[in-house]
Amino acid sequence: MSLTAGPTVHTSDFIRTAVREDLASGRFTCVRTRFPPEPNGYLHIGHAKAMAVDFEIAREFGGTCNLRFDDTNPVKEEQEYVDAIMEDVRWLGYRWDGLYFASDYFEQLYEFAVKLIRKGKAYVCDLSPDELREYRGTLTQPGRESPWRNRSVEENLDLFARMRAGEFPEGSRTLRAKIDMAAGNINLRDPVMYRIIRASHHRTGDAWCIYPTYDFAHGQCDSIEGITHSLCSLEYEDHRPLYEWFLRELEIFAPRQIEFARLNLSYTVLSKRKLLKLVKEGYVRGWDDPRMPTLRGLRRRGYTPSAIRDFCARIGVAKADSVVDIAMLEHSLRDELNKTAPRVMAVLRPLRVVLENYPAGQTEMLEAVNNPEDPAAGTRQVPFGRVLYIEQDDFMEDPPPKFYRLAPGREVRLRYGYFIRCTDVVKDTAGNVVELRCTYDPDTRGGSAPDGRKVKATIHWVSAVHALPVEARLYDHLFTRPDPDDVEEGESFLGALNPKSLEVVEGFAEPSVADSPIGKHYQFERLGYFVTDPDSTPARLVFNRAVTLKDAWARAAGQG
Ligand code: ATP
Ligand code: MG
Protein backbone atom coordinates (compact mmCIF):
# COMPACT_ATOMS: atom_id res chain seq x y z
CA MET A 1 0.00 0.00 0.00
CA SER A 2 1.29 3.42 -0.77
CA LEU A 3 0.43 7.05 -0.76
CA THR A 4 1.25 8.91 -3.95
CA ALA A 5 2.27 12.12 -2.25
CA GLY A 6 1.52 14.35 0.63
CA PRO A 7 2.56 15.24 4.09
CA THR A 8 3.98 12.66 6.42
CA VAL A 9 2.71 13.70 9.78
CA HIS A 10 4.04 11.53 12.55
CA THR A 11 1.36 12.19 15.01
CA SER A 12 0.94 10.24 18.13
CA ASP A 13 -2.75 10.02 18.66
CA PHE A 14 -4.62 7.42 20.73
CA ILE A 15 -5.04 5.04 17.80
CA ARG A 16 -1.36 5.02 16.87
CA THR A 17 -0.53 4.56 20.53
CA ALA A 18 -2.86 1.56 20.72
CA VAL A 19 -1.38 0.06 17.54
CA ARG A 20 2.13 0.49 18.89
CA GLU A 21 1.14 -1.21 22.15
CA ASP A 22 -0.45 -4.12 20.31
CA LEU A 23 2.74 -4.68 18.34
CA ALA A 24 4.90 -4.38 21.45
CA SER A 25 2.75 -6.79 23.45
CA GLY A 26 2.64 -9.30 20.61
CA ARG A 27 -1.17 -9.19 20.37
CA PHE A 28 -0.57 -8.62 16.66
CA THR A 29 2.58 -9.05 14.63
CA CYS A 30 1.64 -6.77 11.76
CA VAL A 31 -0.84 -4.03 10.95
CA ARG A 32 -3.74 -4.63 8.60
CA THR A 33 -6.53 -2.12 8.21
CA ARG A 34 -9.43 -1.68 5.81
CA PHE A 35 -11.58 1.13 4.53
CA PRO A 36 -15.16 -0.21 4.41
CA PRO A 37 -17.56 2.07 2.51
CA GLU A 38 -21.12 1.03 1.83
CA PRO A 39 -21.77 1.56 -1.90
CA ASN A 40 -24.95 3.55 -1.30
CA GLY A 41 -23.63 7.00 -2.18
CA TYR A 42 -20.56 8.98 -3.07
CA LEU A 43 -17.64 9.50 -0.74
CA HIS A 44 -17.48 12.78 1.15
CA ILE A 45 -14.88 14.66 3.15
CA GLY A 46 -15.78 12.61 6.24
CA HIS A 47 -14.71 9.48 4.37
CA ALA A 48 -11.47 11.25 3.48
CA LYS A 49 -10.79 11.49 7.19
CA ALA A 50 -11.53 7.77 7.64
CA MET A 51 -9.25 6.96 4.71
CA ALA A 52 -6.50 9.11 6.12
CA VAL A 53 -6.73 7.07 9.32
CA ASP A 54 -6.97 3.63 7.67
CA PHE A 55 -4.47 4.04 4.85
CA GLU A 56 -1.91 6.20 6.61
CA ILE A 57 -1.73 4.12 9.77
CA ALA A 58 -1.16 1.02 7.63
CA ARG A 59 1.58 2.85 5.74
CA GLU A 60 3.27 4.20 8.83
CA PHE A 61 3.48 0.75 10.36
CA GLY A 62 4.54 -0.99 7.18
CA GLY A 63 1.19 -2.79 6.94
CA THR A 64 -1.60 -3.16 4.43
CA CYS A 65 -4.99 -1.57 3.90
CA ASN A 66 -7.87 -3.19 2.01
CA LEU A 67 -10.75 -1.54 0.28
CA ARG A 68 -13.81 -3.50 1.29
CA PHE A 69 -17.29 -2.70 0.12
CA ASP A 70 -19.81 -3.25 2.85
CA ASP A 71 -22.51 -4.37 0.41
CA THR A 72 -24.97 -6.19 2.63
CA ASN A 73 -28.11 -4.19 1.81
CA PRO A 74 -29.06 -4.66 -1.87
CA VAL A 75 -31.93 -2.20 -1.62
CA LYS A 76 -29.68 0.85 -1.36
CA GLU A 77 -26.53 -0.26 -3.13
CA GLU A 78 -25.52 0.09 -6.76
CA GLN A 79 -22.61 -0.67 -9.06
CA GLU A 80 -22.49 3.02 -10.00
CA TYR A 81 -21.45 3.81 -6.45
CA VAL A 82 -18.85 1.03 -6.37
CA ASP A 83 -17.17 2.44 -9.48
CA ALA A 84 -17.32 6.00 -8.24
CA ILE A 85 -15.90 5.08 -4.84
CA MET A 86 -12.91 3.28 -6.37
CA GLU A 87 -12.25 6.26 -8.59
CA ASP A 88 -12.48 8.67 -5.67
CA VAL A 89 -10.19 6.63 -3.42
CA ARG A 90 -7.57 6.60 -6.19
CA TRP A 91 -8.08 10.27 -6.90
CA LEU A 92 -7.39 11.07 -3.27
CA GLY A 93 -4.06 9.30 -3.70
CA TYR A 94 -4.66 6.06 -1.85
CA ARG A 95 -3.87 2.61 -3.23
CA TRP A 96 -5.53 -0.38 -1.58
CA ASP A 97 -3.88 -3.73 -1.19
CA GLY A 98 -6.82 -6.14 -1.42
CA LEU A 99 -10.14 -5.24 -3.02
CA TYR A 100 -13.00 -7.13 -1.38
CA PHE A 101 -16.74 -7.12 -1.04
CA ALA A 102 -18.70 -8.33 1.96
CA SER A 103 -20.77 -10.18 -0.64
CA ASP A 104 -17.64 -12.25 -1.46
CA TYR A 105 -18.14 -13.82 1.94
CA PHE A 106 -21.89 -14.53 1.86
CA GLU A 107 -21.38 -18.30 1.78
CA GLN A 108 -18.81 -18.19 4.58
CA LEU A 109 -21.03 -15.89 6.65
CA TYR A 110 -23.91 -18.29 6.16
CA GLU A 111 -21.75 -21.08 7.51
CA PHE A 112 -20.76 -18.95 10.49
CA ALA A 113 -24.45 -18.43 11.20
CA VAL A 114 -25.08 -22.17 11.02
CA LYS A 115 -22.25 -22.68 13.48
CA LEU A 116 -23.92 -20.32 15.95
CA ILE A 117 -27.26 -22.11 15.51
CA ARG A 118 -25.56 -25.42 16.25
CA LYS A 119 -24.05 -23.92 19.41
CA GLY A 120 -27.50 -22.81 20.51
CA LYS A 121 -26.42 -19.18 20.06
CA ALA A 122 -28.78 -18.20 17.25
CA TYR A 123 -32.44 -18.81 16.45
CA VAL A 124 -35.00 -18.14 13.79
CA CYS A 125 -37.57 -15.66 15.05
CA ASP A 126 -41.04 -15.14 13.55
CA LEU A 127 -41.70 -11.70 15.06
CA SER A 128 -42.60 -9.03 12.51
CA PRO A 129 -40.38 -5.95 12.22
CA ASP A 130 -42.84 -3.97 14.35
CA GLU A 131 -42.98 -6.66 17.00
CA LEU A 132 -39.20 -6.91 17.01
CA ARG A 133 -39.01 -3.24 17.80
CA GLU A 134 -41.58 -3.51 20.53
CA TYR A 135 -39.90 -6.54 22.14
CA ARG A 136 -36.51 -4.82 22.09
CA GLY A 137 -37.39 -2.50 24.99
CA THR A 138 -35.85 0.92 25.52
CA LEU A 139 -32.87 2.49 27.22
CA THR A 140 -34.75 2.40 30.51
CA GLN A 141 -36.75 -0.80 30.00
CA PRO A 142 -35.37 -4.26 29.39
CA GLY A 143 -36.55 -6.14 26.33
CA ARG A 144 -38.78 -9.18 26.28
CA GLU A 145 -37.78 -12.59 25.06
CA SER A 146 -39.22 -13.68 21.75
CA PRO A 147 -41.68 -16.58 21.95
CA TRP A 148 -39.49 -18.26 19.30
CA ARG A 149 -36.30 -17.99 21.31
CA ASN A 150 -36.19 -21.56 22.50
CA ARG A 151 -36.69 -23.44 19.28
CA SER A 152 -34.59 -26.55 18.96
CA VAL A 153 -31.32 -26.53 17.07
CA GLU A 154 -32.85 -28.88 14.49
CA GLU A 155 -35.85 -26.65 13.90
CA ASN A 156 -33.61 -23.58 13.62
CA LEU A 157 -31.30 -25.29 11.14
CA ASP A 158 -34.28 -26.34 9.06
CA LEU A 159 -35.97 -22.95 9.14
CA PHE A 160 -32.75 -21.08 8.37
CA ALA A 161 -32.09 -23.34 5.37
CA ARG A 162 -35.63 -22.67 4.16
CA MET A 163 -35.19 -18.93 4.68
CA ARG A 164 -32.23 -19.19 2.36
CA ALA A 165 -34.20 -21.34 -0.09
CA GLY A 166 -36.76 -18.58 -0.43
CA GLU A 167 -39.71 -20.31 1.19
CA PHE A 168 -40.81 -17.34 3.30
CA PRO A 169 -41.96 -13.84 2.47
CA GLU A 170 -39.86 -10.77 3.14
CA GLY A 171 -40.09 -9.58 6.72
CA SER A 172 -41.66 -12.78 8.00
CA ARG A 173 -38.61 -14.23 9.76
CA THR A 174 -35.15 -13.26 10.94
CA LEU A 175 -32.18 -15.06 12.33
CA ARG A 176 -31.20 -13.59 15.70
CA ALA A 177 -28.27 -14.04 18.02
CA LYS A 178 -29.28 -15.40 21.40
CA ILE A 179 -27.58 -13.09 23.85
CA ASP A 180 -29.46 -11.19 26.54
CA MET A 181 -32.78 -9.35 26.26
CA ALA A 182 -32.07 -7.58 29.56
CA ALA A 183 -28.65 -6.24 28.49
CA GLY A 184 -28.13 -2.55 29.20
CA ASN A 185 -26.63 -2.25 25.73
CA ILE A 186 -29.56 -2.60 23.35
CA ASN A 187 -27.25 -3.96 20.65
CA LEU A 188 -26.92 -7.13 22.72
CA ARG A 189 -30.67 -7.77 22.97
CA ASP A 190 -30.78 -10.67 20.55
CA PRO A 191 -29.71 -8.63 17.51
CA VAL A 192 -30.81 -9.61 14.04
CA MET A 193 -28.13 -11.43 12.04
CA TYR A 194 -30.08 -12.15 8.83
CA ARG A 195 -33.19 -10.75 7.27
CA ILE A 196 -35.16 -11.75 4.19
CA ILE A 197 -34.81 -9.15 1.45
CA ARG A 198 -36.21 -9.90 -1.98
CA ALA A 199 -34.06 -7.58 -4.01
CA SER A 200 -31.41 -8.18 -6.62
CA HIS A 201 -27.92 -7.53 -5.39
CA HIS A 202 -25.57 -5.60 -7.67
CA ARG A 203 -23.04 -8.42 -7.49
CA THR A 204 -24.76 -11.61 -6.37
CA GLY A 205 -27.95 -11.00 -8.34
CA ASP A 206 -30.74 -13.25 -7.11
CA ALA A 207 -28.50 -15.92 -5.59
CA TRP A 208 -29.56 -14.81 -2.12
CA CYS A 209 -32.77 -13.66 -0.54
CA ILE A 210 -31.35 -13.47 2.97
CA TYR A 211 -28.75 -10.87 3.77
CA PRO A 212 -26.51 -10.47 6.83
CA THR A 213 -26.82 -7.31 8.87
CA TYR A 214 -23.92 -4.90 9.27
CA ASP A 215 -23.31 -6.24 12.78
CA PHE A 216 -23.10 -9.83 11.69
CA ALA A 217 -21.06 -9.12 8.58
CA HIS A 218 -18.52 -6.54 9.60
CA GLY A 219 -16.42 -8.24 12.25
CA GLN A 220 -16.49 -11.57 10.44
CA CYS A 221 -15.27 -9.93 7.21
CA ASP A 222 -12.53 -8.22 9.20
CA SER A 223 -11.58 -11.57 10.70
CA ILE A 224 -11.51 -13.40 7.37
CA GLU A 225 -9.18 -10.75 5.96
CA GLY A 226 -6.94 -10.88 9.02
CA ILE A 227 -7.57 -7.22 9.79
CA THR A 228 -5.76 -6.35 12.99
CA HIS A 229 -7.22 -2.91 13.65
CA SER A 230 -10.77 -2.23 12.59
CA LEU A 231 -10.92 1.53 12.78
CA CYS A 232 -14.33 3.12 12.61
CA SER A 233 -16.29 6.12 13.70
CA LEU A 234 -17.72 6.64 17.15
CA GLU A 235 -21.27 5.52 16.45
CA TYR A 236 -19.97 1.94 16.41
CA GLU A 237 -18.63 2.12 19.95
CA ASP A 238 -21.83 0.59 21.35
CA HIS A 239 -21.60 -2.15 18.75
CA ARG A 240 -18.13 -3.23 19.89
CA PRO A 241 -19.38 -5.69 22.58
CA LEU A 242 -21.44 -7.38 19.86
CA TYR A 243 -18.53 -7.30 17.41
CA GLU A 244 -16.47 -9.10 20.05
CA TRP A 245 -19.26 -11.48 21.01
CA PHE A 246 -19.61 -12.89 17.49
CA LEU A 247 -15.86 -13.40 17.10
CA ARG A 248 -15.60 -15.08 20.49
CA GLU A 249 -18.56 -17.39 19.92
CA LEU A 250 -17.31 -18.28 16.44
CA GLU A 251 -13.82 -18.85 17.85
CA ILE A 252 -12.14 -17.09 14.95
CA PHE A 253 -9.35 -14.52 14.66
CA ALA A 254 -10.34 -11.39 16.56
CA PRO A 255 -9.35 -7.98 15.23
CA ARG A 256 -9.42 -4.98 17.54
CA GLN A 257 -12.07 -2.37 16.87
CA ILE A 258 -11.10 1.20 17.76
CA GLU A 259 -13.45 4.12 17.31
CA PHE A 260 -12.63 7.73 16.50
CA ALA A 261 -14.74 10.86 16.21
CA ARG A 262 -16.53 11.50 12.96
CA LEU A 263 -15.66 14.62 11.07
CA ASN A 264 -18.32 17.29 11.27
CA LEU A 265 -17.79 20.46 9.27
CA SER A 266 -19.52 23.76 9.88
CA TYR A 267 -22.07 24.93 7.26
CA THR A 268 -22.16 21.39 5.86
CA VAL A 269 -24.03 18.13 6.20
CA LEU A 270 -22.04 14.91 6.00
CA SER A 271 -24.60 12.19 5.81
CA LYS A 272 -25.08 10.28 2.59
CA ARG A 273 -28.80 10.22 3.20
CA LYS A 274 -28.97 14.00 3.37
CA LEU A 275 -26.58 14.48 0.47
CA LEU A 276 -28.75 12.13 -1.59
CA LYS A 277 -31.78 14.24 -0.73
CA LEU A 278 -30.01 17.39 -1.94
CA VAL A 279 -29.23 15.68 -5.24
CA LYS A 280 -32.54 13.87 -5.77
CA GLU A 281 -34.66 16.88 -4.95
CA GLY A 282 -32.61 19.20 -7.12
CA TYR A 283 -31.21 21.55 -4.49
CA VAL A 284 -27.82 21.08 -6.12
CA ARG A 285 -26.88 20.10 -9.67
CA GLY A 286 -25.58 16.65 -8.80
CA TRP A 287 -23.16 14.69 -6.66
CA ASP A 288 -20.34 16.72 -8.15
CA ASP A 289 -21.91 20.11 -7.60
CA PRO A 290 -19.03 22.30 -6.40
CA ARG A 291 -20.98 23.16 -3.25
CA MET A 292 -21.22 19.51 -2.19
CA PRO A 293 -18.81 18.10 0.43
CA THR A 294 -18.43 14.96 -1.70
CA LEU A 295 -14.95 14.29 -3.03
CA ARG A 296 -16.40 14.85 -6.52
CA GLY A 297 -17.90 18.14 -5.50
CA LEU A 298 -14.68 19.23 -3.86
CA ARG A 299 -12.66 18.20 -6.90
CA ARG A 300 -14.90 20.17 -9.24
CA ARG A 301 -14.74 23.10 -6.84
CA GLY A 302 -10.97 23.06 -7.27
CA TYR A 303 -9.81 21.07 -4.26
CA THR A 304 -6.68 19.02 -4.83
CA PRO A 305 -6.05 15.61 -3.26
CA SER A 306 -3.05 17.01 -1.43
CA ALA A 307 -5.03 19.89 0.08
CA ILE A 308 -7.65 17.44 1.37
CA ARG A 309 -4.99 15.13 2.80
CA ASP A 310 -3.26 18.10 4.38
CA PHE A 311 -6.56 19.08 6.00
CA CYS A 312 -7.06 15.54 7.34
CA ALA A 313 -3.54 15.56 8.75
CA ARG A 314 -4.18 18.91 10.45
CA ILE A 315 -7.42 17.83 12.11
CA GLY A 316 -5.96 14.52 13.28
CA VAL A 317 -8.07 11.98 15.15
CA ALA A 318 -9.73 12.37 18.49
CA LYS A 319 -12.07 10.37 20.68
CA ALA A 320 -14.66 13.09 21.17
CA ASP A 321 -16.97 14.49 18.53
CA SER A 322 -16.46 18.08 17.52
CA VAL A 323 -17.20 20.41 14.64
CA VAL A 324 -14.34 21.58 12.48
CA ASP A 325 -14.55 25.09 11.06
CA ILE A 326 -14.92 24.87 7.28
CA ALA A 327 -12.50 27.79 7.10
CA MET A 328 -9.80 25.30 8.07
CA LEU A 329 -10.50 23.22 4.97
CA GLU A 330 -10.39 26.36 2.84
CA HIS A 331 -7.13 27.30 4.49
CA SER A 332 -5.49 24.04 3.39
CA LEU A 333 -6.42 24.69 -0.22
CA ARG A 334 -5.45 28.36 -0.18
CA ASP A 335 -2.13 27.48 1.37
CA GLU A 336 -1.35 25.10 -1.46
CA LEU A 337 -2.67 27.18 -4.34
CA ASN A 338 -0.78 30.19 -3.08
CA LYS A 339 2.40 28.27 -3.83
CA THR A 340 1.30 26.62 -7.07
CA ALA A 341 -1.39 28.59 -8.90
CA PRO A 342 -0.32 30.97 -11.68
CA ARG A 343 -1.60 34.50 -11.28
CA VAL A 344 -3.67 36.02 -14.06
CA MET A 345 -5.92 39.01 -14.42
CA ALA A 346 -9.65 38.66 -14.93
CA VAL A 347 -12.45 41.17 -14.48
CA LEU A 348 -15.71 39.64 -13.34
CA ARG A 349 -17.98 42.67 -13.18
CA PRO A 350 -16.62 44.70 -16.06
CA LEU A 351 -16.64 48.47 -16.45
CA ARG A 352 -15.29 49.83 -19.75
CA VAL A 353 -12.41 52.28 -19.62
CA VAL A 354 -11.22 54.26 -22.64
CA LEU A 355 -7.73 55.78 -22.45
CA GLU A 356 -8.30 58.83 -24.61
CA ASN A 357 -4.65 59.69 -25.11
CA TYR A 358 -3.61 56.15 -26.02
CA PRO A 359 -3.26 55.62 -29.79
CA ALA A 360 -6.23 53.79 -31.29
CA GLY A 361 -5.26 50.41 -32.75
CA GLN A 362 -2.03 50.20 -30.77
CA THR A 363 -1.20 47.18 -28.61
CA GLU A 364 1.80 46.71 -26.38
CA MET A 365 2.89 43.82 -24.24
CA LEU A 366 3.52 44.27 -20.53
CA GLU A 367 5.52 41.84 -18.47
CA ALA A 368 3.69 40.20 -15.59
CA VAL A 369 4.93 37.89 -12.85
CA ASN A 370 3.35 34.44 -12.90
CA ASN A 371 3.75 33.65 -9.25
CA PRO A 372 5.49 35.87 -6.72
CA GLU A 373 5.73 32.81 -4.41
CA ASP A 374 7.58 30.82 -7.04
CA PRO A 375 10.31 32.62 -9.02
CA ALA A 376 10.72 29.56 -11.23
CA ALA A 377 7.22 30.17 -12.60
CA GLY A 378 8.69 33.08 -14.60
CA THR A 379 6.83 35.88 -16.34
CA ARG A 380 4.38 36.33 -19.19
CA GLN A 381 3.38 39.09 -21.58
CA VAL A 382 -0.04 40.65 -21.11
CA PRO A 383 -1.50 42.78 -23.94
CA PHE A 384 -2.48 46.35 -23.22
CA GLY A 385 -4.48 48.75 -25.38
CA ARG A 386 -6.70 51.80 -25.55
CA VAL A 387 -9.87 50.12 -24.25
CA LEU A 388 -9.79 48.16 -21.00
CA TYR A 389 -12.10 46.58 -18.51
CA ILE A 390 -11.77 47.16 -14.80
CA GLU A 391 -13.99 45.96 -11.93
CA GLN A 392 -17.07 48.07 -11.31
CA ASP A 393 -16.10 47.92 -7.62
CA ASP A 394 -12.84 49.71 -8.32
CA PHE A 395 -14.62 52.90 -9.26
CA MET A 396 -16.87 55.20 -7.22
CA GLU A 397 -18.31 58.42 -8.48
CA ASP A 398 -18.68 59.71 -4.94
CA PRO A 399 -15.99 57.95 -2.97
CA PRO A 400 -16.23 57.82 0.81
CA PRO A 401 -13.10 58.86 2.77
CA LYS A 402 -11.37 55.47 2.86
CA PHE A 403 -11.96 54.55 -0.78
CA TYR A 404 -8.61 55.00 -2.55
CA ARG A 405 -9.34 53.45 -5.93
CA LEU A 406 -10.56 55.18 -9.05
CA ALA A 407 -12.87 58.20 -8.85
CA PRO A 408 -13.41 61.29 -11.01
CA GLY A 409 -10.14 63.25 -11.15
CA ARG A 410 -8.30 60.53 -9.23
CA GLU A 411 -5.22 58.63 -10.38
CA VAL A 412 -4.51 54.90 -9.76
CA ARG A 413 -1.96 52.38 -10.96
CA LEU A 414 -2.89 49.60 -13.35
CA ARG A 415 -1.22 46.37 -12.30
CA TYR A 416 1.98 45.90 -14.38
CA GLY A 417 0.98 48.97 -16.40
CA TYR A 418 0.60 52.70 -16.15
CA PHE A 419 -0.96 55.33 -13.95
CA ILE A 420 -4.35 56.34 -15.27
CA ARG A 421 -6.55 59.30 -14.27
CA CYS A 422 -10.31 59.42 -14.62
CA THR A 423 -11.38 62.50 -16.53
CA ASP A 424 -15.01 61.81 -17.36
CA VAL A 425 -17.90 59.47 -16.65
CA VAL A 426 -20.37 58.18 -19.25
CA LYS A 427 -23.83 57.17 -18.04
CA ASP A 428 -26.81 55.45 -19.58
CA THR A 429 -30.29 56.99 -19.54
CA ALA A 430 -30.96 55.35 -16.17
CA GLY A 431 -27.96 57.10 -14.68
CA ASN A 432 -25.71 54.03 -14.39
CA VAL A 433 -22.03 54.53 -15.06
CA VAL A 434 -21.28 52.54 -18.23
CA GLU A 435 -17.87 53.84 -19.24
CA LEU A 436 -14.99 55.85 -17.88
CA ARG A 437 -12.88 58.25 -19.92
CA CYS A 438 -9.32 58.30 -18.64
CA THR A 439 -5.86 59.44 -19.62
CA TYR A 440 -2.74 57.43 -19.06
CA ASP A 441 0.73 58.72 -18.24
CA PRO A 442 3.24 57.18 -20.72
CA ASP A 443 6.11 57.89 -18.30
CA THR A 444 4.70 55.56 -15.63
CA ARG A 445 5.11 52.29 -17.53
CA GLY A 446 6.16 49.63 -15.00
CA GLY A 447 4.26 51.33 -12.21
CA SER A 448 6.17 54.36 -10.96
CA ALA A 449 6.28 58.01 -11.87
CA PRO A 450 9.64 59.70 -12.63
CA ASP A 451 8.51 62.77 -10.68
CA GLY A 452 8.00 60.59 -7.63
CA ARG A 453 4.24 61.21 -7.30
CA LYS A 454 2.35 58.44 -5.57
CA VAL A 455 -0.97 56.73 -6.09
CA LYS A 456 -2.78 54.94 -3.31
CA ALA A 457 -4.20 51.96 -5.19
CA THR A 458 -3.30 49.38 -7.80
CA ILE A 459 -6.13 47.75 -9.70
CA HIS A 460 -6.28 44.87 -12.16
CA TRP A 461 -7.60 45.14 -15.70
CA VAL A 462 -8.01 43.32 -18.99
CA SER A 463 -7.49 44.72 -22.50
CA ALA A 464 -10.89 44.74 -24.21
CA VAL A 465 -9.81 43.63 -27.69
CA HIS A 466 -7.80 40.73 -26.29
CA ALA A 467 -10.20 39.72 -23.53
CA LEU A 468 -11.71 36.25 -23.41
CA PRO A 469 -15.31 36.07 -22.24
CA VAL A 470 -15.59 33.92 -19.13
CA GLU A 471 -18.34 32.71 -16.88
CA ALA A 472 -17.39 32.65 -13.23
CA ARG A 473 -19.33 30.72 -10.62
CA LEU A 474 -18.91 32.18 -7.18
CA TYR A 475 -19.87 30.02 -4.25
CA ASP A 476 -20.86 30.58 -0.69
CA HIS A 477 -21.66 28.01 1.99
CA LEU A 478 -24.51 25.72 1.06
CA PHE A 479 -26.14 26.40 4.41
CA THR A 480 -26.68 29.61 6.30
CA ARG A 481 -26.19 28.11 9.76
CA PRO A 482 -22.96 26.60 11.14
CA ASP A 483 -25.01 23.55 12.14
CA PRO A 484 -27.67 22.93 9.48
CA ASP A 485 -29.09 20.15 11.64
CA ASP A 486 -29.80 22.49 14.49
CA VAL A 487 -33.50 22.74 13.71
CA GLU A 488 -36.74 22.91 15.64
CA GLU A 489 -38.78 19.75 16.08
CA GLY A 490 -40.43 18.83 12.79
CA GLU A 491 -38.25 21.10 10.67
CA SER A 492 -35.73 19.96 8.13
CA PHE A 493 -32.10 20.86 7.53
CA LEU A 494 -33.33 22.04 4.13
CA GLY A 495 -34.65 25.14 5.85
CA ALA A 496 -31.06 26.21 6.37
CA LEU A 497 -30.18 26.10 2.66
CA ASN A 498 -28.46 29.28 1.54
CA PRO A 499 -30.39 30.80 -1.37
CA LYS A 500 -27.24 32.71 -2.33
CA SER A 501 -24.84 29.79 -2.37
CA LEU A 502 -24.18 30.26 -6.10
CA GLU A 503 -23.72 33.49 -8.00
CA VAL A 504 -22.90 33.40 -11.70
CA VAL A 505 -21.17 36.38 -13.27
CA GLU A 506 -19.96 37.11 -16.79
CA GLY A 507 -16.60 38.74 -17.20
CA PHE A 508 -13.37 38.75 -19.12
CA ALA A 509 -9.97 37.18 -18.62
CA GLU A 510 -6.57 37.90 -20.10
CA PRO A 511 -5.76 35.76 -23.15
CA SER A 512 -3.19 33.57 -21.40
CA VAL A 513 -5.98 31.42 -19.96
CA ALA A 514 -7.17 30.34 -23.42
CA ASP A 515 -7.14 26.56 -23.88
CA SER A 516 -6.97 25.88 -20.15
CA PRO A 517 -7.57 22.20 -19.53
CA ILE A 518 -10.38 21.29 -17.16
CA GLY A 519 -9.17 21.34 -13.60
CA LYS A 520 -6.49 23.98 -14.22
CA HIS A 521 -6.01 26.36 -11.32
CA TYR A 522 -5.34 30.08 -11.36
CA GLN A 523 -5.29 32.90 -8.96
CA PHE A 524 -7.38 35.67 -10.49
CA GLU A 525 -5.55 38.55 -8.92
CA ARG A 526 -7.47 40.14 -6.05
CA LEU A 527 -10.48 37.83 -6.64
CA GLY A 528 -9.49 34.39 -5.43
CA TYR A 529 -8.40 30.99 -6.67
CA PHE A 530 -10.31 29.57 -9.61
CA VAL A 531 -10.40 26.32 -11.52
CA THR A 532 -11.71 25.55 -15.00
CA ASP A 533 -15.00 23.71 -14.85
CA PRO A 534 -15.94 20.72 -17.07
CA ASP A 535 -18.65 22.94 -18.59
CA SER A 536 -15.90 25.00 -20.27
CA THR A 537 -15.68 25.09 -24.05
CA PRO A 538 -12.93 26.73 -26.07
CA ALA A 539 -15.41 29.47 -27.03
CA ARG A 540 -16.53 30.05 -23.49
CA LEU A 541 -14.47 29.28 -20.45
CA VAL A 542 -16.23 28.52 -17.20
CA PHE A 543 -14.43 28.95 -13.90
CA ASN A 544 -15.37 27.95 -10.38
CA ARG A 545 -14.08 30.00 -7.54
CA ALA A 546 -12.42 27.40 -5.35
CA VAL A 547 -11.68 29.73 -2.49
CA THR A 548 -11.35 33.45 -1.88
CA LEU A 549 -8.09 35.14 -0.96
CA LYS A 550 -9.28 36.16 2.49
CA ASP A 551 -8.11 33.69 5.05
CA ALA A 552 -10.63 33.64 7.85
CA TRP A 553 -8.92 30.64 9.43
CA ALA A 554 -5.40 32.09 9.60
CA ARG A 555 -6.85 35.30 11.00
CA ALA A 556 -8.79 33.45 13.68
CA ALA A 557 -5.71 31.38 14.46
CA GLY A 558 -3.63 34.53 14.78
CA GLN A 559 -1.44 33.80 11.78
CA GLY A 560 -2.84 36.25 9.28
P1 ATP B 1 -23.13 8.21 6.16
O1 ATP B 1 -23.69 8.39 7.53
O2 ATP B 1 -22.70 9.46 5.49
O3 ATP B 1 -23.97 7.33 5.28
P2 ATP B 1 -21.59 5.94 6.74
O4 ATP B 1 -20.85 5.84 8.01
O5 ATP B 1 -22.84 5.16 6.62
O6 ATP B 1 -21.78 7.45 6.40
P3 ATP B 1 -19.93 4.25 5.23
O7 ATP B 1 -19.85 4.13 3.76
O8 ATP B 1 -20.49 3.14 6.01
O9 ATP B 1 -20.71 5.60 5.52
O10 ATP B 1 -18.52 4.70 5.81
C1 ATP B 1 -17.30 4.07 5.51
C2 ATP B 1 -16.33 4.44 6.58
O11 ATP B 1 -16.18 5.85 6.66
C3 ATP B 1 -16.80 3.97 7.94
O12 ATP B 1 -15.69 3.39 8.61
C4 ATP B 1 -17.24 5.22 8.63
O13 ATP B 1 -17.02 5.13 10.01
C5 ATP B 1 -16.38 6.28 7.98
N1 ATP B 1 -17.02 7.59 7.97
C6 ATP B 1 -18.19 7.93 7.41
N2 ATP B 1 -18.49 9.21 7.64
C7 ATP B 1 -17.47 9.72 8.37
C8 ATP B 1 -17.17 11.00 8.95
N3 ATP B 1 -18.02 12.03 8.81
N4 ATP B 1 -16.02 11.14 9.64
C9 ATP B 1 -15.19 10.12 9.78
N5 ATP B 1 -15.39 8.89 9.28
C10 ATP B 1 -16.53 8.68 8.59
MG1 MG C 1 -22.45 2.99 7.17
Side-chain angles (χ1 to χ4, degrees), residues 36-38 40 47 70 214 233 235-236 262 272:
E38 181 177 1
N40 63 347
H47 295 112
D70 176 18
Y214 169 88
S233 41
E235 70 269 25
Y236 297 108
R262 280 176 87 90
K272 279 184 281 191

Side-chain angles (χ1 to χ4, degrees), residues 34-40 43-44 46-47 49-50 54 70 231-233 235-236 260-264 270-273:
R34 86 287 169 267
F35 172 62
E38 181 177 1
N40 63 347
L43 297 182
H44 53 59
H47 295 112
K49 172 179 174 172
D54 295 326
D70 176 18
L231 311 173
C232 59
S233 41
E235 70 269 25
Y236 297 108
F260 56 87
R262 280 176 87 90
L263 170 66
N264 299 299
L270 289 182
S271 131
K272 279 184 281 191
R273 190 176 51 77

Side-chain angles (χ1 to χ4, degrees), residues 195-209:
R195 63 263 202 246
I196 301 170
I197 302 177
R198 296 196 179 269
S200 263
H201 186 279
H202 62 98
R203 296 189 76 239
T204 58
D206 297 317
W208 293 86
C209 63

Side-chain angles (χ1 to χ4, degrees), residues 87-101:
E87 224 178 88
D88 288 351
V89 173
R90 282 197 210 99
W91 175 75
L92 196 57
Y94 294 114
R95 301 290 177 265
W96 53 85
D97 291 284
L99 172 65
Y100 299 106
F101 294 80

